[in-house]
C-alpha cells in the first residue's frame, strides 16, 4: 500500500480526545498495537542523523513517522529476551533476572511477575482482549504455556529466539506445537487480522515479528520491490545485507496489509507503537556501527533502537523527539493509555504526555545492561541527556559525550575530563547506585 494511503488512514486519529473519561464504549477506550521488530537498528531504517548506509524500503513505517512521533533516544537491551522482559514487566533486567537471550531448559521470567496484559486487565476490570502474536522468548522451552499462564488472552507464535527457516517453523499456542510452512511474517499478519476481527471489546495486540532476524532468506517476491533477488544459498551467503533489507521491506508491506484491514472506527481508535528490540545483527551491521558495537553490545548500535508512535492520542505529527526513553517505559505508557490509572510504576515512566506536549516532563537517565551472556561484553550503561558511561564486568569503562560524539569514537577517559563532564559522571554513578 502506498505511503500516502497509509498516512490518510492514520491522520484521523489525532482528533480523538485522549483525556476523555475511561468508558468501555465508543472512542474512549483505545486499542493498542505494539509492533516489535527483531534485530532492526537505525543503520537499516529511518533518517537517523549520521546513518547513511543502505536503507530498507519502508513506505508504511515512513508514513507512521509522518503522522506521528519518531523517538531517537529509545534505549533497549542488547539482546532480545531482556528487552521483551523489560517491556512486559516495566523492570530492568537485574530485577527480573533476565539479562541475555534465553535458551534451553532454564531461565526466563519468574511466574510471580505481573505482565502488562494482566496488569491492564486487573486495573480496568478485565476490559481488554489481549494477544501476543509472534516471538515470545521470555520463558525457557519447558514452559510452553507460559504466555497464557501470565495472563495473555491469546498467544500464537515462535516461542524461542529464531526459526530454522521463515518457510518451515514451529508454532506454539496454548502449550501445543505445530509445524507451519507459510512465510512467518505473512502468517503472523494473517493471524493478527483474524484475531482483531473476532474481538468484541477493546484490544491490546503485541505483534512481535521475528523479521528481520536471521536466518536470511528471500521473502516472497510479491512482498519486495527487487524481483531479481536471487534465492540460492551461495548468493545469500556471499552478501547477506540485501536479504536482511528485503526482510524489513516484506515486514513493512505486510504491516500495510494489517493496517488496511482495520475498520474506520478502529483506525481512529488505535494507538500504534513500533520499536526495535535491539540493534542490527553483527553479520549485516553498517557504518557507523561495527560488529562489536551492534547487537549484543552496550554501545549505541546495540541498544539505541527505532521507535515510532502514531494514531490515537498522538497530536504531534511528523515530529522527531529526543527525549530519553527506556524500553521499560512502554509498560506505564500502554497502561496509562488503556486507563489503568498509572503514569509511573517500577522502572517505567509513561510517555503519554509527550504525545501532545513536546515539553512534558521526561526521565533524566536511561539505563541498559547485559548479563548472563558469558562474554566480555557484559556490564551496564547509563546516560543523561548528554553523557554516557559504559561499565563492563571485566572492569573496563568508557565515557562519551554523545552531543558531539554520537557514535562513540572517542573515550573521554583517555583525556582530562572537563568540570561539566566530571559532574555528569559523578551524577551517573550516583544514580546507578540508587538503582540497587
Amino acid at each position: 500500500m502506498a505511503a500516502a494511503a497509509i498516512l490518510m488512514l492514520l491522520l484521523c486519529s489525532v482528533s480523538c480526545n485522549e483525556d476523555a473519561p475511561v468508558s468501555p464504549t465508543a472512542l474512549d477506550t483505545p486499542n493498542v498495537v505494539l509492533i516489535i521488530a527483531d534485530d532492526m537498528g537505525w543503520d537499516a531504517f529511518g533518517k537517523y542523523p549520521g546513518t547513511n548506509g543502505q536503507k530498507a524500503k519502508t513506505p508504511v513505517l515512513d508514513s507512521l513517522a509522518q503522522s506521528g512521533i519518531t523517538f531517537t533516544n529509545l534505549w533497549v537491551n542488547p539482546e532480545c529476551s531482556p528487552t521483551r522482559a523489560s517491556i512486559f514487566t516495566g523492570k530492568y533486567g537485574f530485577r527480573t533476572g533476565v539479562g541475555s537471550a534465553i535458551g534451553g531448559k532454564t531461565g526466563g521470567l519468574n511466574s510471580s511477575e505481573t505482565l502488562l496484559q494482566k496488569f491492564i486487565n486487573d486495573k480496568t476490570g478485565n476490559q481488554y482482549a489481549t494477544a501476543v502474536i509472534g516471538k515470545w522468548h521470555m520463558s525457557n522451552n519447558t514452559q510452553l504455556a507460559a504466555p497464557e499462564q501470565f495472563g495473555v488472552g491469546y498467544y500464537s507464535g515462535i516461542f524461542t529466539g529464531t526459526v530454522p527457516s521463515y518457510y518451515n517453523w514451529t508454532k506454539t499456542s496454548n502449550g501445543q506445537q505445530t509445524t507451519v510452512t507459510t512465510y512467518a511474517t505473512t502468517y503472523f499478519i494473517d493471524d493478527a487480522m483474524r484475531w482483531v476481527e473476532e474481538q468484541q471489546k477493546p484490544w491490546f495486540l503485541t505483534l512481535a515479528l521475528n523479521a528481520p532476524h536471521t536466518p536470511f532468506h528471500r521473502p516472497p517476491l510479491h512482498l519486495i520491490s527487487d524481483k531479481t533477488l536471487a534465492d540460492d544459498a551461495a548468493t545469500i551467503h556471499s552478501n547477506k545485507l540485501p536479504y536482511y533489507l528485503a526482510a524489513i521491506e516484506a515486514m513493512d508491506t505486510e504491516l500495510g496489509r494489517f493496517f488496511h484491514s482495520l475498520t474506520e472506527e478502529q483506525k481512529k481508535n488505535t494507538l500504534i507503537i513500533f520499536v526495535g528490540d535491539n540493534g542490527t545483527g553483527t553479520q549485516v551491521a553498517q557504518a557507523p556501527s561495527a560488529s562489536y558495537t551492534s547487537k549484543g553490545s552496550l554501545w549505541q548500535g546495540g541498544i539505541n533502537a527505532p521507535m515510532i508512535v502514531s494514531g490515537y492520542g498522538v497530536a504531534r505529527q511528523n515530529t522527531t523527539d529526543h527525549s530519553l526513553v527506556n524500553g521499560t517505559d512502554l509498560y506505564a505508557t500502554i497502561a496509562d493509555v488503556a486507563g489503568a490509572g498509572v503514569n509511573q510504576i517500577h522502572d517505567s515512566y509513561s510517555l503519554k504526555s509527550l504525545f501532545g506536549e513536546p515539553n512534558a516532563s521526561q526521565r533524566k537517565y536511561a539505563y541498559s545492561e547485559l548479563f548472563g551472556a558469558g562474554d566480555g561484553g557484559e556490564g551496564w550503561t547509563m546516560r543523561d541527556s548528554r553523557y554516557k558511561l559504559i561499565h563492563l564486568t571485566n572492569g573496563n569503562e568508557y565515557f562519551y559525550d554523545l552531543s558531539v560524539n554520537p557514535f562513540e569514537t572517542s573515550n573521554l577517559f583517555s583525556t582530562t575530563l572537563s568540570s561539566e563532564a566530571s559532574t555528569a559522571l559523578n551524577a551517573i554513578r550516583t544514580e546507578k547506585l540508587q538503582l540497587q
Side-chain angles (χ1 to χ4, degrees), residues 103 176 400:
Q176 303 299 313
Y400 300 103

Side-chain angles (χ1 to χ4, degrees), residues 121 235 237 301 309 424 426 431:
N121 274 328
T235 302
H237 181 73
V309 297
N426 291 334
E431 181 70 16

Side-chain angles (χ1 to χ4, degrees), residues 34-38 74 76 87 273-277 305-308 330:
L34 169 62
I35 303 162
I36 305 175
D38 202 353
L74 167 68
V76 289
I87 290 172
I273 302 175
F274 174 87
V275 297
D277 71 342
M307 178 175 175
I308 300 169
L330 296 178

Side-chain angles (χ1 to χ4, degrees), residues 96-123:
T96 66
V98 180
S100 58
I102 297 166
K105 298 181 179 180
T106 60
L109 284 174
N110 191 287
S111 60
S112 63
E113 297 292 348
T114 301
L115 265 61
L116 176 57
Q117 292 83 356
K118 184 177 187 301
F119 180 79
I120 288 173
N121 274 328
D122 285 349
K123 295 295 185 179

